[in-house]
């Protein structure tokens, strides 16, 4: 689990999923990210690792923070960054995906950062292009850089990941963040708890590598980390949970529930938050909330991923 | 549905064959004489002794058995000929050892009128290499609301009634259809899926769907409809066939209904007999099916149900889809897989793996569908149509989708290793496919 030469350890062409990443690979990325995080706090933030390289942000689904985080990461490493926001028309989405991939491929980018509303779409696209592809979120499948930035945030705050108890709470059913985090945390030796009402638990949730709770207070007992998930508005009015009020009552993170976790438990949220729905406003701004650090580490982790992937790029 | 066979002069005798007839249980060395498009004689006495003046075909100890009858085939004719025509489907069938296909009414327009049944029959007569029969719609435009002219459609040649890939969700409509069809002895074939339970689901609900982040379909979406339908059969006495069961609970429901003596039967697709949800792997859309592939234990239950005779027939569920609708993110890709040309070879996997005997396996693709649909073939019997295949059970080959005859190439078995190959296919005594000629 110790870090050695990172480039020798993370030697993949794409970053599409956290499933199958080794502890060595994750550690390697976090080590590079640690340095990038320090660099980002300097006045001179820019390096030239990606000089001459082209990074294209291809977002089929709206995103503010992930896209700007990747944009900044690319620019700080000296890459030329282009943002493409592909409006999702309701027709022929698949055609758009493949066609756009082929078109972009012809422009010879070095790295494509892709977000898509359909699970597996980024993998499909990666099969069609010659460059490196980073999954910036595909449907309810995976969001690898989010899990890595969460791991980095935890490691910097707690000094380790192994042995910690991490509760992931909320809409696990639709959450790619949860899936990626469950993979990374398990690989890194953390104990994972999954907390959600049964209507927001995926099938066979107990097979994912975490203990499942439908009672949040019980699930938070003695946790080191409380990781909240976003609940989308359209799922709050009867189809998955009866109302915002009821959801907040049973699954919103308030002081009473938080008191069940360890006194030094960290509070995390991938954002954007629904204050008063899944998290009390005062908790979001709590001294133990590392939600802003997560955003900061997001840039660092994305720089690390870009740097690691760039070492696999062709130089001829 | 085909051109009449050539005149009597063309009698052919197949010698040195391993005669397999699931209808009678026959499995012995022998020979078979074809004359006038029908089986004129068969038995051990013809093993080496060809009658004078007839053409001799030496089967070299390979299997000679009835051609397969595939009771669930989707094509694109009429309306979506880019997917498949009756001609291309029948060529695929011939190469796969299928001598009779039963086409589904899910076309554009829907086969819900007498003139359209007639259209299919005429197109098949002029273009198809194998026998083609029609299953007509049981409700207009497959909407599950108003029943079709079941009596007149039957008179026009429809062998059974189905809404294809659609389920009648209204219990009252289903009751009326079963009740009305009963008077004509017509068979109702149902795709059993509670669409509300299915919701946005695109694959079997479970650990695999959760890991892939895909919305799942619980298998009870199927079982619940079968349970309801069995009660409706109990009410009406109509003949009922569940088109494609996929899980052990559905099988138990069918078994119980049969034990009560209800006129209930069921089929299973070759995909659900030989593949499971894990085969989807990294979002392989060619394995996106409806109903979806289930767990390995459900697959095993299907094999056991077939062995026990609780599952009556095996179908290909041949459903051609072009590349454009398959090369999409999994949830957005079309459902369905082609299967006519690989039906027998895939089925033989079960035989070679010692999961089922040859006779029960072939029975479910020959005499059983023939009896179910009232078709003349599916057996080795004097006077029966000479719809026959010669099969080398041991020959290994690898599926290459580029060489499949279907117009669409969405085979879930692409690049799969198979063992067992059709050497020759005869329909009404005429050779419509021969492996030796397959020099491509």
């Amino acid at each position: 689990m110790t870090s050695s030469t990172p480039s020798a350890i993370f030697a993949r062409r794409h970053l599409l999923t956290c499933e199958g990443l080794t502890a060595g690979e994750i550690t390697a990325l976090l080590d590079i990210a640690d340095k990038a995080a320090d660099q980002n706090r300097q006045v001179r933030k820019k390096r030239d690792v990606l000089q001459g390289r082209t990074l294209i942000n291809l977002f089929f689904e709206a995103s503010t923070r992930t896209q700007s985080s990747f944009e900044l990461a690319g620019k700080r490493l000296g890459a030329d960054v282009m943002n493409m926001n592909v409006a999702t028309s309701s027709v022929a989405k698949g055609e758009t995906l493949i066609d756009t991939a082929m078109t972009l491929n012809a422009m010879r980018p070095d790295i494509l950062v892709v977000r898509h509303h359909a699970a597996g779409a980024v993998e499909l696209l990666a099969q069609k292009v010659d460059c490196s592809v980073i999954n910036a979120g595909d449907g309810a499948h995976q969001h690898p850089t989010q899990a890595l930035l969460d791991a980095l945030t935890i490691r910097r705050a707690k000094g380790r990941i192994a042995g910690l108890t991490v509760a992931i709470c909320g809409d696990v059913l639709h959450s790619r963040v949860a899936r990626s985090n469950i993979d990374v945390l398990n690989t890194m030796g953390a104990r994972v708890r999954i907390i959600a009402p049964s209507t927001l638990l995926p099938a066979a949730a107990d097979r994912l590598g975490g203990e499942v709770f439908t009672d949040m207070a019980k699930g938070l007992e003695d946790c080191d980390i409380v990781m909240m998930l976003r609940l989308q508005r359209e799922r709050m009015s009867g189809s998955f949970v009866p109302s915002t009020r009821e959801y907040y009552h049973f699954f919103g993170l308030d002081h009473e529930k938080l008191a069940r976790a360890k006194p030094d438990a960290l509070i995390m949220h991938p954002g954007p938050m629904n204050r008063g729905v899944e998290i009390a406003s005062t908790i979001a701004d709590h001294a133990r909330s590392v939600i802003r650090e997560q955003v900061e580490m997001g840039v660092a982790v994305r720089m690390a991923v870009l740097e690691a992937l760039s070492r696999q790029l062709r130089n001829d | 549905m085909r051109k009449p066979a050539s005149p009597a002069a063309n009698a052919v005798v197949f010698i040195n064959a391993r005669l397999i007839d699931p209808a009678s249980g026959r499995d012995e060395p022998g020979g078979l004489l074809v004359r006038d498009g029908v089986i004129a004689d068969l038995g051990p006495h013809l093993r080496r002794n060809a009658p004078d003046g007839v053409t001799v075909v030496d089967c070299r100890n390979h299997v000679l058995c009835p051609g397969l009858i595939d009771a669930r085939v989707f094509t694109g004719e009429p309306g979506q000929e880019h997917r498949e025509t009756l001609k291309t489907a029948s060529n695929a069938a011939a190469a796969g050892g299928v001598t009779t296909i039963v086409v589904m009414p899910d076309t554009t327009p829907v086969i819900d009128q007498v003139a359209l049944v007639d259209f299919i029959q005429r197109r098949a007569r002029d273009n198809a290499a194998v026998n083609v029969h029609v299953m007509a719609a049981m409700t207009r435009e497959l909407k599950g609301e108003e029943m079709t002219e079941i009596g007149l459609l039957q008179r026009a040649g429809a062998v059974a009634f189905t809404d294809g890939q659609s389920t009648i969700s209204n219990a009252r409509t289903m009751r009326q259809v079963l009740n009305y069809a009963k008077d004509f002895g017509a068979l109702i074939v149902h795709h059993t899926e509670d669409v509300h339970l299915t919701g946005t689901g695109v694959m079997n609900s479970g650990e695999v769907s959760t890991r892939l982040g895909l919305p799942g379909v619980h298998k009870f979406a199927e079982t619940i409809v079968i349970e309801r339908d069995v009660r409706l059969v109990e009410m009406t006495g109509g003949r009922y066939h569940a088109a494609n069961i996929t899980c052990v609970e559905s099988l138990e429901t069918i078994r119980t209904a049969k034990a009560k003596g209800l006129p209930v039967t069921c089929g299973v697709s070759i995909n659900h007999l030989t593949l499971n949800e894990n085969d989807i792997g990294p979002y392989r859309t060619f394995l996106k099916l409806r109903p979806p592939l289930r767990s390995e234990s459900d697959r095993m239950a299907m094999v056991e149900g077939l062995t026990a005779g609780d599952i009556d027939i095996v179908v290909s569920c041949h459903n051609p889809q072009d590349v454009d609708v398959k090369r999409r993110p999994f949830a957005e890709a079309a459902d369905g897989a082609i299967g006519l040309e690989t039906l027998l070879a895939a089925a033989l996997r079960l035989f070679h793996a010692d999961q089922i005997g040859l006779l029960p396996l072939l029975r479910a693709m020959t005499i059983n569908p023939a009896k179910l649909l009232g078709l003349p073939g599916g057996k080795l019997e004097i006077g029966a149509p000479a719809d026959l295949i010669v099969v080398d059970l041991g020959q290994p080959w690898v599926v290459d989708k580029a060489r499949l005859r279907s117009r669409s190439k969405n085979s879930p078995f692409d690049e799969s290793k198979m063992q067992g190959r059709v050497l020759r296919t005869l329909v009404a005594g005429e050779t419509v496919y021969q492996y030796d000629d397959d020099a491509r």
Side-chain angles (χ1 to χ4, degrees):
Chain A
M1 242 100 334
T2 52
S3 64
S4 57
T5 326
S7 60
I9 293 184
F10 189 87
R12 292 174 189 252
R13 202 178 134 211
H14 307 301
L15 178 62
L16 301 175
T17 172
C18 293
E19 207 175 346
L21 289 185
T22 64
E25 287 176 311
I26 294 166
T27 305
L29 288 172
L30 298 187
D31 289 347
I32 310 175
D34 244 334
K35 289 186 195 125
D38 295 338
Q39 178 201 329
N40 286 340
R41 291 183 178 177
Q42 310 299 313
V43 177
R44 290 181 162 274
K45 299 179 177 60
K46 203 159 172 173
R47 288 161 65 209
D48 59 1
V49 183
L50 292 186
Q51 192 153 37
R53 300 293 191 186
T54 305
L55 184 158
I56 297 181
N57 271 330
L58 179 60
F59 278 62
F60 291 88
E61 195 181 74
S63 155
T64 317
R65 72 178 64 204
T66 306
Q67 184 176 321
S68 46
S69 183
F70 268 110
E71 183 177 357
L72 208 50
K75 284 177 172 168
R76 285 193 180 157
L77 293 177
D80 294 314
V81 182
M82 186 178 96
N83 289 320
M84 277 197 65
N85 291 308
V86 189
T88 42
S89 66
S90 57
V91 288
K93 282 170 188 161
E95 281 179 355
T96 309
L97 175 68
I98 300 282
D99 288 349
T100 313
M102 300 312 281
T103 307
L104 288 177
N105 193 47
M107 298 179 190
R108 299 188 164 273
D110 299 290
I111 299 176
L112 264 179
V113 177
V114 187
R115 170 170 289 189
H116 198 278
H117 53 83
V122 181
E123 200 161 321
L124 176 65
L125 188 142
Q127 292 164 10
K128 307 280 165 195
V129 297
D130 304 316
C131 60
S132 284
V133 175
I134 299 173
N135 182 0
D138 63 325
H141 179 221
Q142 287 271 332
H143 189 356
T145 56
Q146 178 70 42
L148 291 169
L149 75 87
D150 288 340
L152 181 63
T153 308
I154 294 170
R155 198 177 78 167
R156 281 171 75 101
K158 294 282 185 188
R160 66 192 169 109
I161 298 169
L164 297 177
T165 302
V166 183
I168 300 175
C169 323
D171 185 1
V172 179
L173 176 63
H174 300 98
S175 179
R176 54 194 173 215
V177 174
R179 283 171 181 75
S180 288
N181 262 306
I182 292 168
D183 289 337
V184 167
L185 291 167
N186 271 298
T187 304
M188 299 307 286
R191 283 192 299 270
V192 178
R193 294 181 186 172
I194 297 165
I195 304 173
S198 290
T199 46
L200 292 176
L201 279 174
D206 56 328
R207 303 281 293 274
L208 289 180
E211 204 183 339
V212 178
F213 293 85
T214 52
D215 179 334
M216 189 167 179
K218 274 188 196 153
L220 290 184
E221 207 73 60
D222 292 323
C223 276
D224 296 286
I225 311 283
V226 183
M227 194 180 272
M228 300 305 298
L229 299 172
R230 177 181 166 76
L231 179 65
Q232 287 191 7
R233 294 209 165 269
E234 62 267 25
R235 299 186 177 128
M236 296 175 200
S237 53
S239 54
F240 291 91
V241 294
S243 69
T244 309
R245 188 172 69 166
E246 175 145 333
Y247 186 72
Y248 180 70
H249 186 83
F250 292 103
F251 292 95
L253 185 63
D254 54 19
H255 290 273
E256 196 188 327
K257 296 193 197 82
L258 182 61
R260 308 292 286 265
K262 280 188 183 163
D264 61 346
L266 299 181
I267 300 149
M268 303 179 75
H269 193 296
M273 282 182 285
N274 294 304
R275 288 171 184 263
V277 176
E278 70 253 356
I279 190 162
S281 203
T282 50
I283 300 248
D285 306 322
H286 198 277
R288 285 188 275 125
S289 160
V290 290
I291 295 170
R292 277 192 296 271
E293 280 80 355
Q294 286 176 274
V295 179
E296 185 187 348
M297 291 311 122
V299 179
V301 151
R302 282 159 189 136
M303 287 168 72
V305 170
L306 291 173
E307 188 174 338
L309 290 180
S310 74
R311 292 179 192 171
Q312 306 304 318
L313 293 174
R314 286 171 36 169
N315 280 309
D316 49 359
Chain B
M1 301 311 128
R2 297 183 63 263
K3 284 163 275 187
S6 32
N10 292 338
V12 183
V13 64
F14 293 84
I15 61 165
N16 266 325
R18 176 181 169 190
L19 296 176
I20 293 188
D21 179 32
S24 61
R26 181 199 293 265
D27 182 356
E28 62 180 3
L32 184 147
L33 178 68
V34 173
R35 185 180 288 135
D36 293 341
V38 298
I39 298 171
D41 194 10
L42 77 161
H45 61 284
L46 288 170
R47 186 180 176 193
R48 300 193 198 285
N49 310 316
D52 290 336
V54 300
T55 314
V56 177
V57 174
D58 186 345
C59 295
R60 292 176 297 169
N61 300 316
H62 291 309
V63 167
L64 178 66
C65 68
L68 307 188
I69 298 172
D70 187 347
R72 195 161 174 84
V73 173
F74 297 86
T75 79
E77 186 168 350
Q80 296 199 340
E81 286 82 358
H82 67 283
R83 286 170 55 204
E84 190 87 285
T85 61
L86 293 168
K87 184 178 184 178
T88 55
S90 75
N91 288 337
V98 178
T99 51
T100 298
I101 62 176
V102 180
V103 296
M104 298 296 108
D106 315 40
T107 48
T108 317
V110 167
I111 309 303
D112 57 2
Q113 290 176 44
V114 168
L116 290 162
V117 171
D118 191 48
F119 170 81
I120 297 281
Q121 289 172 339
R122 278 185 288 112
R123 292 288 294 173
R125 179 196 64 204
D126 295 344
N127 299 302
V130 302
N131 305 308
V132 176
H133 292 282
V134 185
M135 244 186 235
M138 55 186 174
T139 66
R140 291 199 177 102
E141 294 177 32
L142 311 178
K143 283 183 174 168
E145 292 162 5
E146 301 159 335
M147 66 175 117
T148 53
E149 297 167 321
I150 289 173
L152 291 175
L153 287 163
Q154 187 185 53
R155 191 168 289 178
V159 294
F161 297 85
T162 182
D163 274 2
Q165 295 228 76
S166 304
T167 300
I168 295 183
S169 57
N170 186 324
R172 186 178 175 278
T173 308
M174 190 64 185
R175 176 193 173 179
Q176 291 297 79
V177 168
L178 282 164
N179 210 7
Y180 187 79
K182 178 189 59 180
D183 294 346
F184 297 91
L187 180 71
I188 296 301
V189 177
H190 206 197
H191 166 84
T192 50
E193 177 187 7
D194 184 314
V195 291
H196 299 290
L197 261 184
T198 295
T200 57
V202 294
M203 71 172 289
N204 188 43
S205 170
E207 186 182 348
V208 183
S209 70
T210 294
R211 286 195 183 279
L212 291 172
L214 293 170
V217 186
H218 198 282
K219 56 184 179 175
F220 287 177
E222 166 184 309
T223 309
I224 284 171
V225 175
I226 297 179
E227 285 171 348
R228 179 202 71 175
D229 287 352
V230 166
R231 289 295 179 197
L232 295 173
V233 171
E234 213 174 334
M235 281 167 75
T236 59
R239 289 175 65 211
Y240 174 83
H241 177 81
N244 185 6
I245 70 165
T246 65
C247 66
V248 64
E249 291 81 3
S250 298
L251 179 62
E252 281 165 8
T253 307
I254 297 284
R255 194 182 281 141
T256 310
K258 285 183 170 185
K260 278 188 189 171
L262 296 174
V264 169
T265 53
C266 70
V268 65
S269 89
I270 189 66
N271 303 313
H272 295 91
L273 274 178
T274 58
L275 301 167
N276 67 35
E277 58 185 348
N278 293 304
D279 292 309
I280 289 168
Y283 303 101
R284 291 180 62 203
T285 58
F286 282 13
L287 286 96
K288 187 184 182 215
L289 308 175
R290 193 160 150 233
L293 293 173
R294 304 289 184 195
S295 66
E296 175 62 8
S297 61
D298 280 322
R299 185 195 73 80
M300 285 304 297
M302 293 303 101
V303 176
E304 284 158 19
L306 185 63
T307 308
D310 295 322
I311 294 177
D312 303 89
I313 66 169
V314 173
V315 294
S316 70
C317 234
H318 181 84
N319 189 352
Q321 300 289 352
D322 68 63
V323 166
D324 282 346
V325 294
K326 275 291 189 186
R327 255 186 218 155
R328 293 185 177 194
F330 196 87
E332 294 166 11
D335 300 312
I338 57 168
L340 274 168
E341 203 167 337
T342 49
L343 174 63
L344 179 62
L348 286 173
R349 281 179 158 188
L350 301 174
F351 164 69
H352 290 305
D354 283 328
Q355 293 180 10
I356 189 168
L358 201 52
L359 281 171
L361 184 63
L362 291 175
R363 189 174 295 134
M365 295 186 286
T366 53
I367 188 64
N368 284 4
K371 279 184 179 166
L372 185 69
L373 300 169
L375 304 176
K379 58 192 167 190
L380 299 187
E381 198 179 282
I382 293 172
D387 297 345
L388 304 165
I389 52 176
V390 180
V391 184
D392 178 349
L393 292 178
Q395 191 178 135
W397 60 292
V398 177
V399 179
D400 175 0
K401 70 178 175 199
R403 298 179 63 168
L404 294 177
R405 286 157 181 78
S406 244
R407 188 162 277 179
S408 295
K409 305 299 179 190
N410 54 313
S411 170
F413 298 108
D414 188 29
E415 296 178 16
S416 293
K417 292 189 181 110
M418 297 293 190
Q419 193 183 347
R421 179 134 218 172
V422 176
L423 300 180
R424 186 195 284 256
T425 304
L426 294 101
V427 174
E430 280 185 83
T431 298
V432 293
Y433 170 80
Q434 202 168 342
Y435 176 61
D436 301 334
D437 294 341
D438 194 25
R440 285 191 293 167

